[in-house]
Amino acid sequence: MLRGILISCGIIVVFLLVLLGGVRLFGAETYDRLMNRIAADPDAPVPMVEDKSLHESLFIADLHVDTLKWDRDLLVRSEWGHVDLPRLVEGNVALQSFTIVTQSPLPYGSSERYRNGEKCVSGGSVDMAALLAASQGRPAFSTRERAIYQIERLKAAIERSKQREGPELRLIRDVDDLRQLMADRRTGQQVVGAVLGIEGGHWVGNTPDDLQAVDEDMQQLFDLGVRQFAPNHRFDNALAGSGEGCERYGLTPMGERALKNAERLGIAVDVAHISQQGMTDAARILSEPFMVSHTGVKGSCEDPCRPARNLSDRQVESVLEHRGVIGIGYWPYAVGPSVWNIADAMQHVMQIADRMGLEPGRHVAFGSDYDGSVTPFFDVSDLDILTAVMRQREQPFDERTIRNIAGLNVCRFFARVLPGGSEQAAEEICSPAPLPRA
């Protein structure tokens, strides 16, 4: 039996070495190009003059990009991938959440297995984030250290942006930072706010029953500048089950402690990827609004959209009941085969809000998942295509709704939950008046 175990372990080690060797052979750049392509839609609208004019007057915010995991200079326009500072400026983005992935399964399909006849994603599959980190000379054996490396990488880019001519990247830590960002954008300054986020706190709660360790881990994230925290990625962990995981349990005691700490500290809670029960548990224990940073919805899911990855109507209701926001993604697995499906998903959320007696356009946001090993319909420099989609629908979104969805909903959300936040600050800072393009 021991011999069989040793042989199995040897096979696994060889497999990992082959994978790592493949990433090194082809290079992290080639892997980046392969995983972060564009799925251009031939039916996408061409933005008209009116679309562009409105787009350039919007305050635009996006809740989720994974750009920091790739070895690109954030301040230089790249020929591949989806996001960098020059393209954020071209797309007129004012506020961007840079989310940090520290553990990732194989691409869609490769990491799936079956449990009780249903597909699921195992957290025990090959960790592609570790292999990518190793190939780039980054910390490879600690999810915590991988996160810290990416945090410091963003901060270094922010400092470099201040020391040279051109657009400035600015870290948003509290409501005063958000207020200053809005004020500077109003005067036409080229400045883009950056919110640091975690997608999967896989090291938090890994010491069984040590709640103090959870407190310390969350305090460390806060001190490092993290202001957005998602307990899960695509698999179950010590904090909560995932919607695609193999167990799909709710929040564990460690998970409850982590989210309560986040709320207390002023870190926005992101329940993207969490299980149905985890969402129910989060709604039970949290008093402040929470978000889903990047998703589609089951109710408008059209092939190749993957329902297991998206929100049920009940989950949508949970977010809306807590005055939260839902970031709709731009890639086919989230919404379907066309850019027009992005608006379908938005409208589905709006219809649920309307049934609940809420203003329909106040809880939808942009959640691109750019550079997340997905193939969106356009990169951030062509974001005016999405404005055109909303304006040119058979039943078009009105201007107030477009302004809210494009960024004012996110502005109000962060103005409510960040340190120093309040309902009054949200209304004061995030007024719907048109902004001059930075």
Side-chain angles (χ1 to χ4, degrees), residues 163 166 237 389:
Q163 296 166 8
N237 64 15
V389 166

Side-chain angles (χ1 to χ4, degrees), residues 5-16:
I5 293 173
L6 291 174
I7 291 173
S8 297
C9 290
I11 291 171
I12 292 172
V13 169
V14 170
F15 179 58
L16 290 174

Side-chain angles (χ1 to χ4, degrees), residues 365-384:
F366 291 174
S368 66
D369 201 19
Y370 279 143
D371 291 322
S373 298
V374 296
T375 52
F377 300 110
F378 43 81
D379 75 6
V380 70
S381 66
D382 288 324
L383 191 55
D384 56 0

Side-chain angles (χ1 to χ4, degrees), residues 270-293:
D270 178 8
V271 291
H273 291 291
I274 205 166
S275 66
Q276 179 83 50
Q277 184 58 50
M279 176 84 77
T280 300
D281 292 342
R284 172 176 53 82
I285 68 168
L286 297 174
S287 57
E288 294 293 337
F290 54 86
M291 71 161 81
V292 178
S293 63

Side-chain angles (χ1 to χ4, degrees), residues 52-91:
K52 290 179 176 291
S53 178
L54 175 59
H55 185 84
E56 290 175 0
S57 74
L58 299 173
F59 178 89
I60 298 176
D62 177 32
L63 288 171
H64 194 98
V65 302
D66 294 324
T67 309
L68 297 176
K69 70 186 281 189
W70 307 101
D71 265 349
R72 291 184 238 131
D73 186 340
L74 197 57
L75 304 188
V76 176
R77 196 184 203 287
S78 176
E79 295 178 359
W80 62 91
H82 308 139
V83 167
D84 45 55
L85 183 57
R87 284 185 284 179
L88 286 168
V89 172
E90 288 178 33

Side-chain angles (χ1 to χ4, degrees), residues 93-114:
V93 175
L95 183 63
Q96 180 64 65
S97 290
F98 288 91
T99 46
I100 292 168
V101 178
T102 60
Q103 185 174 342
S104 181
L106 289 165
Y108 278 101
S110 306
S111 59
E112 293 173 345
R113 62 185 179 86
Y114 284 86

Side-chain angles (χ1 to χ4, degrees), residues 150-196:
Q150 293 185 52
I151 289 168
E152 296 304 328
R153 192 161 178 266
L154 177 64
K155 290 180 178 178
I158 287 171
E159 288 306 310
R160 285 191 294 120
S161 77
K162 295 176 181 178
Q163 296 166 8
R164 66 177 204 173
E165 293 185 4
E168 177 189 345
L169 195 59
R170 182 182 301 171
L171 189 63
I172 304 300
R173 295 174 180 262
D174 55 33
V175 167
D176 286 341
D177 290 340
L178 184 61
R179 181 181 288 108
Q180 190 62 53
L181 173 70
M182 182 67 85
D184 290 344
R185 297 280 303 189
R186 288 191 185 284
T187 64
Q189 293 187 41
Q190 282 196 335
V191 57
V192 177
V195 175
L196 267 168

